[in-house]
């Protein structure tokens, strides 16, 4: 039963990742265009877009934690196999690098959202999101386990 639940959560986590990537792309492109056109920051559109991207990413992280804690890797860690996982690049990616990098990306995204909220000018609001969401997006792309996902 737990194995089936893990597979289901893993499938949802992998599927939801497409929405996360799409939201980052939409947000970054929209903010870059708005910045280039010197548009005034629109709370009804711009704030909601950045907020929705952050919420979608938070949900992905929760799904990821559930996937991680219900995985055979986590069972192996509890049984003392961490040293073995660290020796193999693929296992290390799934056990350590991917979760750690996603948490760092989430922190950057959250920090960017807070910087955007506190910025006084439209330009600074757009720049906060472009810079910090952009770095987070790059980190996400670098640590997606492509061989498992695609």
């Amino acid at each position: 039963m737990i194995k089936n639940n893990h597979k289901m959560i893993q499938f949802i986590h992998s599927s939801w990742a497409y929405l996360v990537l799409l939201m980052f792309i939409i947000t970054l492109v929209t903010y870059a265009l708005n910045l280039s056109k010197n548009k005034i920051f629109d709370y009804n559109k711009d704030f909601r877009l950045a907020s929705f991207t952050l919420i979608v990413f938070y949900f992905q992280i929760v799904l990821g934690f559930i996937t991680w804690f219900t995985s055979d890797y986590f069972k192996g860690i509890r049984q003392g196999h961490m040293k073995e996982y660290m020796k193999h690049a693929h296992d290390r990616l799934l056990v350590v690098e991917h979760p750690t990098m996603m948490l760092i990306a989430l922190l950057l995204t959250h920090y960017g959202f807070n910087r955007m909220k506190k910025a006084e000018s439209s330009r600074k609001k757009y720049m906060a999101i472009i810079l910090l969401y952009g770095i987070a997006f790059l980190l996400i792309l670098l640590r997606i386990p492509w061989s498992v996902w695609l």
Side-chain angles (χ1 to χ4, degrees), residues 77-92:
I77 291 169
R78 291 193 338 240
Q79 294 172 351
H81 300 297
M82 186 65 166
K83 193 174 184 180
E84 210 41 51
Y85 294 148
M86 295 303 286
K87 291 178 184 176
H88 305 285
H90 183 265
D91 292 341
R92 186 176 55 247

Side-chain angles (χ1 to χ4, degrees), residues 47-87:
F47 182 84
R48 287 183 179 163
L49 180 59
S51 179
F52 187 68
T53 301
L54 182 61
I55 291 166
V56 165
F57 193 28
Y58 263 111
F59 186 69
Q60 177 70 351
I61 294 294
V62 170
L63 290 171
F65 270 119
I66 293 169
T67 302
W68 195 81
F69 283 114
T70 60
S71 71
D72 290 338
Y73 285 115
F74 185 68
K75 186 193 302 184
I77 291 169
R78 291 193 338 240
Q79 294 172 351
H81 300 297
M82 186 65 166
K83 193 174 184 180
E84 210 41 51
Y85 294 148
M86 295 303 286
K87 291 178 184 176

Side-chain angles (χ1 to χ4, degrees), residues 1-2 4-5 14-15 22 31 35 37 43 47 51 53 65 69 72 79 87-88 96 101 121 132 136 138 144 146:
M1 175 109 162
I2 290 175
N4 289 338
N5 288 340
S14 295
S15 300
L22 180 64
Y31 274 50
L35 180 65
K37 295 176 183 176
Y43 278 93
F47 182 84
S51 179
T53 301
F65 270 119
F69 283 114
D72 290 338
Q79 294 172 351
K87 291 178 184 176
H88 305 285
V96 178
M101 201 61 73
S121 71
L132 293 163
L138 180 63
I144 287 176
W146 295 104

Side-chain angles (χ1 to χ4, degrees), residues 14-134:
S14 295
S15 300
W16 192 263
Y18 289 103
L19 180 60
V20 171
L21 295 177
L22 180 64
M23 288 310 304
F24 267 96
I25 291 167
I26 290 170
T27 302
L28 290 169
V29 168
T30 300
Y31 274 50
L33 289 173
N34 288 353
L35 180 65
S36 71
K37 295 176 183 176
N38 289 323
K39 285 193 172 184
I40 305 258
F41 189 84
D42 182 350
Y43 278 93
N44 286 329
K45 293 178 186 170
D46 297 325
F47 182 84
R48 287 183 179 163
L49 180 59
S51 179
F52 187 68
T53 301
L54 182 61
I55 291 166
V56 165
F57 193 28
Y58 263 111
F59 186 69
Q60 177 70 351
I61 294 294
V62 170
L63 290 171
F65 270 119
I66 293 169
T67 302
W68 195 81
F69 283 114
T70 60
S71 71
D72 290 338
Y73 285 115
F74 185 68
K75 186 193 302 184
I77 291 169
R78 291 193 338 240
Q79 294 172 351
H81 300 297
M82 186 65 166
K83 193 174 184 180
E84 210 41 51
Y85 294 148
M86 295 303 286
K87 291 178 184 176
H88 305 285
H90 183 265
D91 292 341
R92 186 176 55 247
L93 172 65
L94 294 176
V95 173
V96 178
E97 295 171 4
H98 175 71
T100 302
M101 201 61 73
M102 296 309 123
L103 283 176
I104 293 168
L106 179 67
L107 292 173
L108 285 168
T109 306
H110 190 86
Y111 181 62
F113 184 76
N114 284 336
R115 291 277 309 260
M116 179 263 308
K117 287 191 323 187
K118 293 177 183 177
E120 294 183 13
S121 71
S122 293
R123 178 174 171 68
K124 288 182 179 180
K125 289 179 184 298
Y126 290 133
M127 286 302 294
I129 294 295
I130 292 168
L131 177 65
L132 293 163
Y133 275 42

